[in-house]
Amino acid sequence: MKRLNELFDTDNDMKIYSIHSDSRYVKPYSIFFCIEGLSVDGHRYVEDAVFQGAKVIVHSKDLNYYHDKIIYFRVENTLVELNRVSNLFYDCPSNKMKIIGVTGSSGKTVVASMIKDAMAKYCSSGYIGTISLEYNGRKEECPYTTPEALYLQRKLFEMNRAGVKVVAMEASSHGLALGRVDGINFNIAVMTNIGAEHLDFHGTKEQYVLAKQKLFEMIKPTGWAILNSDDLNFMTLKNNTQGRILTYGIEIESDIMAKNIQLHLDHSEFDISFKGNTFHVNSPVIAMFNIYNVLALTGVLIAMGCDDKMVIDAVENVKPIEGRMELIQTEQQFAVIIDYCQHISNYEAIFEYVDGVRQGHGRIIAVLGAPGKRNYKLRKELGQLANRYLDHVILTQLDDRGEDVYEICKTIQKEIVDINSVIIESRQIAIEQAIEIACKDDIILILGKGHEKFISLDVGQVDYPGDSQIVKEALERIYYKGEDEDEL
């Protein structure tokens, strides 16, 4: 609860119990902010908010009706005002914790999760991002990769009240461009990489980079910017931050480097150099892009003041992230890798890695599809990539969003001319089929869903067990259950 004069320049000391930007959730003695979103204008719902009990309306346009007993504040930008007021209402929670923002086209989830897990050894830590919101053993779904301002401030307030000292959060280009984190005090900003994604939203690559750049512009001179030297946009971000800079890379000389890299199916070995010292490490992460993620983690830990031993311990004991290059090895000596894999560059990186570590005459079997009503170019590119790298493809449902699954798969299949491919519309049956046909040394790739437990339809979603659960249940049914019955 706050007094109105604590939030606005007014003599009115009315008690305010909540603040809202969605009229459906307005409560008595609350403030309603008329936010102009991508598809909805909050000014249309002022009367609904008043009916629900709002006593204060913050708006930027003329309203059709003004009530005598309602207080109105007209501002130039209601989103800016929402960020300011929500920060004050929740007692500026980001000022009381270390907040680490991670942005990039890919790797945000992995790096933020790694940071949360590494810091958990030394203090209470939290994570906000694609997978969930997590702290102190609690786990709940996030509405977006980077949630809207009110949700963020409320959750940071709850984290702080629960004793959390460090929060690693994903800062998506959408979240940055839409001003969702403008009220957050970031201590450290991390850049993983920048591709040419989400141009349907940003319009141009330049606008996309500017959205990412915004996170680094928010860093104060006492803060840190952790930057990937090997990324083409490195200099742009370096020149647009006041923070102290730590660089990491593999190709270009950096503060933190990985050399002599050996990639294996279940781990990676490399020499890591920082602060003038070099250490040979054995890390459970797989694929080259995850080496970069480990280097980003190293940069954060150094910026946080961790000593060499703490850094190496974190690198060598990275916890697996659900649905992110999640490796499941079997007694039948074939392996399954599950990954979220959203962009064509992600697919190619995984295909290249698996092609490099496969053993003997083992095959690469992939279960994949393409999302409906999105990035139609991906379908053709995916088929062409599959043709180059894979041995057997099972095309299936991803998120059809009302499009015909079979037709999506047929578009991909047209590009697959040199290898076997089949269409099995049920994702669960497709995964089970991949397990059924696998032999010794084969590697099965199940791509596109990762951690997700839903399938997006034309309207809404339908529950889905998850790729990992389906794999484990299929292995149990096909291989292990029969063995128990034989023993009986």
Side-chain angles (χ1 to χ4, degrees), residues 428-447:
Q428 180 160 346
I429 295 173
I431 293 172
E432 292 171 349
Q433 178 65 25
I435 302 294
E436 288 265 16
I437 66 174
C439 302
K440 182 178 180 292
D441 293 334
D442 286 349
I443 300 174
I444 300 173
L445 300 176
I446 302 174
L447 307 176

Side-chain angles (χ1 to χ4, degrees), residues 450-465:
H451 67 286
E452 291 181 342
K453 303 293 193 300
F454 61 85
I455 299 287
S456 293
L457 305 177
D458 190 21
V459 178
Q461 302 170 342
V462 63
D463 289 342
Y464 171 68

Side-chain angles (χ1 to χ4, degrees), residues 194-474:
I194 299 180
E197 321 299 346
H198 305 301
L199 299 190
D200 56 335
F201 175 80
H202 295 283
T204 65
K205 174 71 179 292
E206 290 72 24
Q207 289 300 315
Y208 179 55
V209 174
L210 282 172
K212 300 290 189 185
Q213 179 181 309
K214 186 176 176 182
L215 176 65
F216 297 88
E217 293 172 343
M218 294 171 69
I219 297 298
K220 297 174 182 176
T222 54
W224 290 90
I226 315 298
L227 300 175
N228 181 351
S229 299
D230 293 344
D231 190 88
L232 293 175
N233 298 281
F234 164 71
M235 288 304 300
T236 299
L237 300 187
K238 181 181 178 182
N239 292 333
N240 285 281
T241 184
Q242 300 179 70
R244 294 171 285 178
I245 294 171
L246 271 176
T247 62
Y248 68 92
I250 295 173
E251 303 295 333
I252 296 175
E253 193 66 29
S254 308
D255 298 321
I256 304 157
M257 295 200 70
K259 297 180 179 179
N260 304 318
I261 298 169
Q262 299 176 48
L263 300 176
H264 304 278
L265 179 60
D266 61 349
H267 72 283
S268 301
E269 293 182 55
F270 54 95
D271 295 329
I272 185 169
S273 303
F274 57 90
K275 295 192 293 187
N277 299 314
T278 300
F279 307 87
H280 184 74
V281 294
N282 187 321
S283 181
V285 300
I286 57 176
M288 187 65 75
F289 50 84
N290 270 327
I291 305 296
Y292 278 99
N293 293 335
V294 166
L295 296 180
L297 166 67
T298 300
V300 171
L301 295 178
I302 292 172
M304 291 290 290
C306 296
D307 61 30
D308 293 359
K309 183 178 179 181
M310 294 163 72
V311 172
I312 298 305
D313 178 67
V315 169
E316 294 194 321
N317 293 283
V318 171
K319 293 182 180 179
I321 311 300
E322 181 184 6
R324 300 302 196 276
M325 294 304 284
E326 181 182 351
L327 176 66
I328 300 173
Q329 292 183 297
T330 72
E331 294 180 10
Q332 283 65 43
Q333 296 182 16
F334 65 81
V336 181
I337 295 175
I338 298 168
D339 193 75
Y340 189 50
C341 212
Q342 295 294 288
H343 310 301
I344 194 64
S345 57
N346 303 144
Y347 284 96
E348 185 163 21
I350 291 174
F351 292 168
E352 285 182 349
Y353 159 69
V354 174
D355 187 46
V357 300
R358 71 160 112 188
Q359 299 176 353
H361 301 288
R363 300 171 297 167
I364 303 176
I365 302 168
V367 177
L368 47 86
K373 299 181 179 178
R374 286 189 182 180
N375 192 2
Y376 295 97
K377 183 182 176 185
L378 174 67
R379 302 174 191 185
K380 184 175 181 178
E381 293 174 329
L382 195 51
Q384 292 170 345
L385 269 183
N387 209 48
R388 285 166 49 195
Y389 287 101
L390 308 179
D391 299 295
H392 188 85
V393 178
I394 302 175
L395 297 165
T396 191
Q397 181 183 35
L398 190 53
D399 288 306
D400 58 87
R401 297 187 174 87
E403 246 192 288
D404 186 270
V405 174
Y406 184 79
E407 289 303 318
I408 294 174
C409 294
K410 283 294 291 183
T411 305
I412 301 171
Q413 194 177 45
K414 285 179 183 178
E415 306 296 326
I416 304 174
V417 295
D418 298 327
I419 59 174
N420 292 326
S421 64
V422 296
I423 297 174
I424 301 176
E425 294 185 43
S426 165
R427 190 171 181 88
Q428 180 160 346
I429 295 173
I431 293 172
E432 292 171 349
Q433 178 65 25
I435 302 294
E436 288 265 16
I437 66 174
C439 302
K440 182 178 180 292
D441 293 334
D442 286 349
I443 300 174
I444 300 173
L445 300 176
I446 302 174
L447 307 176
K449 291 302 290 179
H451 67 286
E452 291 181 342
K453 303 293 193 300
F454 61 85
I455 299 287
S456 293
L457 305 177
D458 190 21
V459 178
Q461 302 170 342
V462 63
D463 289 342
Y464 171 68
D467 290 347
S468 182
Q469 182 176 328
I470 291 172
V471 168
K472 291 170 184 175
E473 288 178 353

Side-chain angles (χ1 to χ4, degrees), residues 67-115:
H67 297 267
D68 291 338
K69 295 184 179 180
I70 302 298
I71 298 170
Y72 296 89
F73 290 106
R74 181 160 184 169
V75 298
E76 184 175 340
N77 188 315
T78 52
L79 181 58
V80 171
E81 197 69 357
L82 175 64
N83 273 288
R84 184 189 70 80
V85 173
S86 61
N87 190 35
L88 290 174
F89 186 84
Y90 288 107
D91 295 328
C92 306
S94 61
N95 292 346
K96 303 171 184 177
M97 301 180 284
K98 293 287 186 181
I99 310 294
I100 303 161
V102 184
T103 195
S105 297
S106 59
K108 296 186 296 293
T109 300
V110 173
V111 173
S113 297
M114 283 180 175
I115 294 166

Side-chain angles (χ1 to χ4, degrees), residues 17-74:
Y17 291 96
S18 60
I19 54 178
H20 305 275
S21 59
D22 188 327
S23 62
R24 294 172 297 178
Y25 306 112
V26 168
K27 298 176 182 178
Y29 285 89
S30 64
I31 303 174
F32 176 67
F33 288 81
C34 303
I35 302 298
E36 294 183 73
L38 295 175
S39 58
V40 177
D41 185 349
H43 292 83
R44 294 169 53 192
Y45 301 96
V46 170
E47 292 306 306
D48 292 343
V50 171
F51 178 78
Q52 292 280 89
K55 295 296 184 183
V56 180
I57 304 296
V58 181
H59 61 108
S60 60
K61 299 178 179 178
D62 288 335
L63 302 177
N64 294 328
Y65 190 81
Y66 294 84
H67 297 267
D68 291 338
K69 295 184 179 180
I70 302 298
I71 298 170
Y72 296 89
F73 290 106
R74 181 160 184 169

